[in-house]
Amino acid sequence: MKTKYTSEIFEILRRGRFICSNSPDDQIRMLYGILEEEETFIELQSYFNHINYHLEHGNEYFYFSRSESNADLDRKLKKTFGWIDLLDFLKTFDLSFDIGFRFSPAEITNQLKNNADLKNKLDNLKIIGADKRNYSERVKKVIEQLVKDDFVALENEMNETYKVLTSFNYLKELVTAINIPEEVENEIPE
């Protein structure tokens, strides 16, 4: 039996968003609980397959995947490289940046004042474009991208605190899946 929330689940996931177990949004957490019921998940997975959307269950999150054409794969690879650079930037900001981590844009901006490696990584982030604005505007753009991709959510508007969502596991699993054979690991690209 499909749930009365099927349409709502579809509308969220079809936009490339995640449904996370630790979302600060009560409605998203409720939808996560519905999808976590094995019988409902299997039924919705079958239902969405008929319209060419594959309901996937990650580590504490749900998302849609689809078969892609080669043109789309090229676009996805470019986006993936951007995510890898972003993950590197965030881990340079704080090694403990992971699921449930809380941070504010001011904390990142303050660390940029004393951390040359972090500044360098921010300068090279293609995901925020080549526009050379001040650090706080660039950090704001990084966070906007993280929110848009559903890896973090604003938890507290008063003190502008963000929380890392379980969908962040998607990024970590993506990087872990990259396998570079030892024989090419030390090669210098042409």
Side-chain angles (χ1 to χ4, degrees):
M1 166 192 301
K2 288 186 297 291
T3 169
K4 68 180 183 178
Y5 299 104
T6 301
S7 174
E8 189 175 352
I9 290 167
F10 179 77
E11 286 302 316
I12 292 168
L13 297 179
R14 78 174 183 85
R15 288 184 266 144
R17 298 189 61 203
F18 294 91
I19 294 179
C20 299
S21 65
N22 73 339
S23 173
D25 184 326
D26 293 338
Q27 187 69 13
I28 297 292
R29 284 196 316 273
M30 187 271 298
L31 294 175
Y32 179 86
I34 289 169
L35 285 169
E36 200 174 42
E37 293 170 17
E38 187 174 344
E39 187 177 319
T40 303
F41 174 76
I42 290 170
E43 188 169 316
L44 287 177
Q45 192 176 42
S46 173
Y47 179 75
F48 292 134
N49 277 342
H50 291 293
I51 55 173
N52 212 20
Y53 284 91
H54 307 289
L55 180 61
E56 306 282 352
H57 188 186
N59 185 3
E60 299 285 317
Y61 61 91
F62 292 94
Y63 67 103
F64 273 156
S65 68
R66 291 187 303 185
S67 301
E68 303 280 349
S69 68
N70 283 342
D72 287 340
L73 285 175
D74 189 45
R75 180 188 53 79
K76 279 189 142 186
L77 277 174
K78 285 179 183 170
K79 185 151 184 136
T80 300
F81 290 137
W83 283 343
I84 291 169
D85 290 342
L86 190 58
L87 184 61
D88 186 34
F89 172 77
L90 297 169
K91 287 292 189 178
T92 302
F93 160 62
D94 194 318
L95 278 175
S96 60
F97 195 99
D98 210 330
I99 311 305
F101 184 84
R102 289 169 174 81
F103 65 98
S104 70
E107 291 170 332
I108 298 175
T109 303
N110 283 337
Q111 196 170 124
L112 282 164
K113 295 174 186 169
N114 304 316
N115 186 333
D117 192 26
L118 190 63
K119 274 190 232 175
N120 187 39
K121 289 180 180 183
L122 180 65
D123 289 341
N124 293 320
L125 277 180
K126 292 181 178 126
I127 207 162
I128 60 169
D131 191 10
K132 300 286 184 195
R133 292 166 279 173
N134 67 43
Y135 288 137
S136 64
E137 288 176 2
R138 295 164 77 197
V139 166
K140 183 179 175 187
K141 189 148 182 158
V142 167
I143 293 171
E144 285 172 359
Q145 186 65 48
L146 287 167
V147 169
K148 181 181 170 202
D149 289 340
D150 235 3
F151 296 123
V152 303
L154 181 63
E155 185 176 56
N156 185 326
E157 282 186 49
M158 296 293 284
N159 59 15
E160 208 178 0
T161 302
Y162 291 83
K163 178 181 179 183
V164 180
L165 301 177
T166 54
S167 54
F168 195 70
N169 280 327
Y170 181 84
L171 280 184
K172 293 180 354 187
E173 291 163 4
L174 183 73
V175 171
T176 302
I178 296 171
N179 181 22
I180 301 172
E182 276 186 41
E183 57 269 12
V184 296
E185 194 170 83
N186 296 320
E187 283 185 7
I188 298 171
E190 294 179 18

